Amino acid sequence: ACRRVSTSVRTKADMLGDLMKELDREIEECEDRIKRNEKWVVKEEKIADGLAERGTVEADGFGGIEVKKTTILVGAEEDRKLLNSLLMKKSQLSGSSIDVTKGNIGFGNAHEYGLGQKFSSSSEEKNYRFAEIPSDDLVPDTVKSRKNGLVKNAAYSGISS
């Protein structure tokens, strides 16, 4: 009779492994929906050209109107937000962290999905990626070289070691 009794002990590692597998499955499904539903759309914005002078092609030929064309991704906005949430959850469970607050500028509409900030040329805080000389703590170790006991940013100064 005792042979038929079985006990199972689930360890924290087993539960974490199952959670990670479930997250991987959800991430894969979300990515598949994004691939199916997302598409590029060209958006046209017509702007009055205040600088167009009379008698010029700009004024006479184009009617003093400029057309600004922007290509954007549409159709999977909610899935993009869900994917970001799932990736953040997986990051936390795996013990790593994703810091999207420190000066990251997202591509396109990435800021709408929690992936960085929208670029603003008038922003008070300048983005580290656009600095003439990057902050030493932001330069990867693989780029740094040591010369005379001092750390130099070889990739940025044009000096190779």
Side-chain angles (χ1 to χ4, degrees), residues 13-87:
D14 290 338
M15 290 189 291
L16 182 60
D18 290 347
L19 255 171
M20 294 297 264
K21 285 178 188 173
E22 177 63 19
L23 273 173
D24 286 339
R25 185 190 62 73
E26 289 180 44
I27 288 169
E28 187 176 339
E29 287 176 3
C30 191
E31 288 174 336
D32 287 343
R33 282 193 308 275
I34 289 170
K35 287 176 189 173
R36 257 192 329 272
N37 299 326
E38 196 169 57
K39 62 183 178 181
W40 289 101
V41 173
V42 176
K43 180 178 141 186
E44 279 191 11
E45 181 182 357
K46 294 186 178 186
I47 305 165
D49 185 355
L51 300 175
E53 298 174 0
R54 284 187 181 186
T56 64
V57 174
E58 292 171 319
D60 297 341
F62 299 110
I65 302 291
E66 290 183 18
V67 178
K68 177 183 173 185
K69 292 185 180 186
T70 309
T71 307
I72 58 172
L73 282 170
V74 296
E77 292 83 352
E78 293 305 312
D79 282 321
R80 284 270 175 205
K81 290 175 187 174
L82 176 60
L83 179 61
N84 181 51
S85 168
L86 292 170
L87 291 172

Side-chain angles (χ1 to χ4, degrees), residues 3-156:
R3 286 184 163 166
R4 294 186 185 165
V5 176
S6 74
T7 59
S8 65
V9 177
R10 291 190 50 100
T11 65
K12 288 182 183 178
D14 290 338
M15 290 189 291
L16 182 60
D18 290 347
L19 255 171
M20 294 297 264
K21 285 178 188 173
E22 177 63 19
L23 273 173
D24 286 339
R25 185 190 62 73
E26 289 180 44
I27 288 169
E28 187 176 339
E29 287 176 3
C30 191
E31 288 174 336
D32 287 343
R33 282 193 308 275
I34 289 170
K35 287 176 189 173
R36 257 192 329 272
N37 299 326
E38 196 169 57
K39 62 183 178 181
W40 289 101
V41 173
V42 176
K43 180 178 141 186
E44 279 191 11
E45 181 182 357
K46 294 186 178 186
I47 305 165
D49 185 355
L51 300 175
E53 298 174 0
R54 284 187 181 186
T56 64
V57 174
E58 292 171 319
D60 297 341
F62 299 110
I65 302 291
E66 290 183 18
V67 178
K68 177 183 173 185
K69 292 185 180 186
T70 309
T71 307
I72 58 172
L73 282 170
V74 296
E77 292 83 352
E78 293 305 312
D79 282 321
R80 284 270 175 205
K81 290 175 187 174
L82 176 60
L83 179 61
N84 181 51
S85 168
L86 292 170
L87 291 172
M88 294 298 269
K89 194 181 295 184
K90 184 175 179 178
S91 169
Q92 290 169 347
L93 287 173
S94 67
S96 60
S97 67
I98 300 172
D99 184 6
V100 294
T101 59
K102 186 180 178 186
N104 292 316
I105 294 178
F107 174 75
N109 291 337
H111 63 281
E112 293 177 9
Y113 315 123
L115 301 172
Q117 303 161 356
K118 185 174 183 170
F119 175 75
S120 170
S121 60
S122 64
S123 174
E124 300 257 338
E125 182 183 326
K126 295 296 180 190
N127 185 274
Y128 71 93
R129 294 184 332 188
F130 304 114
E132 194 170 314
I133 298 175
S135 172
D136 193 51
D137 62 325
L138 297 174
V139 178
D141 290 336
T142 54
V143 178
K144 293 178 183 176
S145 67
R146 297 198 176 274
K147 191 167 190 171
N148 299 329
L150 299 173
V151 176
K152 293 193 124 294
N153 296 334
Y156 300 104

